[in-house]
Amino acid sequence: MLPTRLAAALLVLPALAGPPVPTQPVPDEPLALIEASREAASRRDDARALDLLARAARFLPFDPRVPYDRAKLLARAGRDAEALVALREAFERGGAGRAPEEAAFATMKTRPEALRLFVEIADRNRPKGEASVAFTVRQKDLLPEGIAHDPRSGAFFLSSLYRRKVVRVAPDGAATDFAGEARDGLWKTVGLKVDAARGRLWVMSGADDAAMARVEPEGVGRSGAFVYDLVTGALLRKSVLDGRPHFLNDAAILPDGDALVTDSEAGALLRVSGSDGAISTVLPPRSLPYPNGVVATEDGRRALVAHAAGVALVDVATGSSREVRPCKGVALVGLDGLAWSRGTLIAVQNGLFPDKVVRYRLSADLGSVQSAEVLLRADPRFRIPTTAAVAGDDLYVVANSHLDAFDSLGRPRGEGPTEPVVLKVPLGTGRP
């Protein structure tokens, strides 16, 4: 689960630049630099905003947000030719999806080269792919984030950001509570993983805010990994983290029954023992900016971790990591849930407009993207898709998590959420 839609929130800049105001130093952390740049731009301190983006660019060589924000600042200053170069760079990094509707670029639309670029962007924004409704759950405020599939029973499991429970959906579509609301001390439930070999369901749960998790303020920052018996629903064990803010977000099951778990708030990757629940560290705190979805290779030796600035390839034994390099036109930012299927990486990308599900073919060493195939894009049923689970030859996607359906006080926005929908996307041959 993403903390906000930072990757997609493209700042609408004011019309004119103005004088700078006193500011606080910003650490050399890429996302902090982007946020500070956008804050400076909102105050019309364009010189500082551009300086902060230049600093961020040193850490984010493939991130489309940096050239995109730079393009908007340059366009606002009337430097259309330079803005167009920056916008083209953002597009070639897989971003710039909202450019045709941005007021900041209105004056550029008289330039033929800009019009050609806007046509290319619009073409890449068009809906693509086929999906059918696998099932719906008749509980509008469920707010599902995670999904898992049990190949033995054919059942699916959905987590719940608002109801603090886990729902089981039988093959006939009947939905029942597997772990009821707040049972066993559950907070928001997020990532789910089935360990079919051992008959277990792993549930990641945490309280990253008081309103949505419906806990007292002193409970914010607590999180845990809960392990249930798939057949009886009994809690087998739970591993809870207190102290500094934690948010155990997603998990990948290793061959020995342990789970790799992302701690998004701490910026860490953990290993939770499947036998006694002991927690050890693979990547220490502050290693990654908001680590999110995670998958492991079949042998359990390597893991791919989506984080707020890209995807990290991690050696599970040594804890060494490096960034996966995207190919031209492909962005690895804004990824939420990951799946691993037939040697390819599948991701739900809800942090760059438009929302999409993408399959990546990686190099033999998993260090770079060789090609990418959009499986589903701009589907009208999307309302912040989050995660996906592979079942046979199909991918099942949580289409409408409604992460934005409640405000910071836990109150519904507008008409509120609709019934959760899970879409079935055919995977075909698995060859991008």
Side-chain angles (χ1 to χ4, degrees):
M1 184 188 80
L2 295 175
T4 64
R5 305 203 74 196
L6 169 66
L10 301 175
L11 183 66
V12 179
L13 303 177
L16 297 172
V21 297
T23 55
Q24 296 297 318
V26 181
D28 278 335
E29 297 177 358
L31 297 186
L33 290 167
I34 289 178
E35 290 182 5
S37 173
R38 291 175 174 179
E39 192 275 333
S42 72
R43 292 186 285 101
R44 302 173 183 173
D45 187 354
D46 288 8
R48 177 170 171 79
L50 286 167
D51 176 68
L52 290 165
L53 284 176
R55 288 172 59 191
R58 302 200 307 267
F59 304 98
L60 301 169
F62 311 116
D63 195 320
R65 292 169 294 185
V66 174
Y68 190 85
D69 282 8
R70 186 169 68 245
K72 289 199 291 185
L73 288 163
L74 294 169
R76 183 167 72 179
R79 296 157 63 180
D80 284 357
E82 294 171 83
L84 182 58
V85 171
L87 187 59
R88 168 64 70 176
E89 182 181 355
F91 175 74
E92 292 183 351
R93 292 185 182 188
R98 293 194 182 276
E101 63 191 49
E102 285 277 7
F105 300 128
T107 60
M108 294 169 52
K109 292 183 178 180
T110 60
R111 304 174 70 99
E113 61 270 37
L115 289 175
R116 287 193 292 271
L117 177 56
F118 289 148
V119 168
E120 292 180 69
I121 294 171
D123 183 64
R124 200 165 69 183
N125 285 348
R126 288 191 178 94
K128 181 179 181 180
E130 298 293 332
S132 59
V133 174
F135 57 87
T136 61
V137 176
R138 301 194 182 283
Q139 185 170 3
K140 291 183 178 181
D141 63 355
L142 185 67
L143 274 62
E145 197 278 340
I147 184 171
H149 177 252
D150 176 12
R152 293 188 173 181
S153 68
F156 286 88
F157 298 87
L158 293 176
S159 63
S160 175
L161 296 173
Y162 190 68
R163 284 297 171 188
R164 300 172 60 183
K165 65 179 182 178
V166 178
V167 171
R168 182 184 187 272
V169 181
D172 64 0
T176 55
D177 285 357
F178 175 81
E181 189 164 344
R183 196 188 107 188
D184 306 314
L186 288 171
W187 304 281
K188 283 182 177 179
T189 55
V190 279
L192 306 176
K193 286 296 183 296
V194 164
D195 181 355
R198 299 167 184 83
R200 298 172 180 173
L201 176 69
W202 287 72
V203 179
M204 302 301 109
S205 181
D208 60 343
D209 65 79
M212 280 291 291
R214 291 180 290 157
V215 297
E216 296 301 320
E218 57 269 21
V220 173
R222 302 187 71 209
S223 193
F226 295 66
V227 184
Y228 291 92
D229 185 291
L230 269 176
V231 177
T232 67
L235 178 69
L236 300 177
R237 68 185 59 85
K238 63 180 180 180
S239 304
V240 174
L241 291 172
D242 294 304
R244 75 168 70 219
H246 296 282
F247 191 67
L248 302 189
N249 198 332
D250 203 1
I253 308 302
L254 297 174
D256 64 0
D258 290 358
L260 291 177
V261 176
T262 52
D263 186 345
S264 298
E265 289 292 342
L269 181 65
L270 308 175
R271 183 169 185 154
V272 181
S273 170
S275 58
D276 61 11
I279 300 175
S280 57
T281 299
V282 178
L283 294 178
R286 300 175 64 85
S287 293
L288 299 173
Y290 207 86
N292 195 348
V294 57
V295 293
T297 54
E298 290 84 350
D299 59 10
R301 296 172 59 188
R302 294 175 292 178
L304 292 159
V305 183
H307 57 83
V311 174
L313 173 63
V314 181
D315 185 301
V316 174
T318 67
S320 62
S321 68
R322 59 188 172 109
E323 289 301 300
V324 177
R325 184 185 182 95
C327 58
K328 184 177 179 180
V330 172
L332 291 177
V333 300
L335 304 186
D336 197 337
L338 302 182
W340 184 254
S341 175
R342 302 167 182 164
T344 62
L345 177 68
I346 299 173
V348 178
Q349 189 171 46
N350 60 21
L352 281 182
F353 180 84
D355 293 340
K356 61 186 76 71
V357 180
V358 186
R359 177 165 52 193
Y360 304 95
R361 182 170 61 85
L362 305 179
S363 58
D365 67 355
L366 306 185
S368 63
V369 176
Q370 302 296 294
S371 63
E373 175 193 13
V374 174
L375 298 174
L376 192 63
R377 180 175 61 211
D379 189 284
R381 294 160 292 193
F382 280 168
R383 179 77 180 272
I384 314 183
T386 51
T387 57
V390 175
D393 294 329
D394 300 298
L395 184 75
Y396 292 78
V397 181
V398 176
N400 58 340
S401 68
H402 291 283
L403 293 180
D404 58 354
F406 291 81
D407 65 18
S408 61
L409 298 177
R411 300 172 302 196
R413 288 192 176 104
E415 296 180 357
T418 57
E419 291 181 351
V421 174
V422 171
L423 297 178
K424 177 181 174 182
V425 182
L427 290 175
T429 63
R431 299 171 62 183

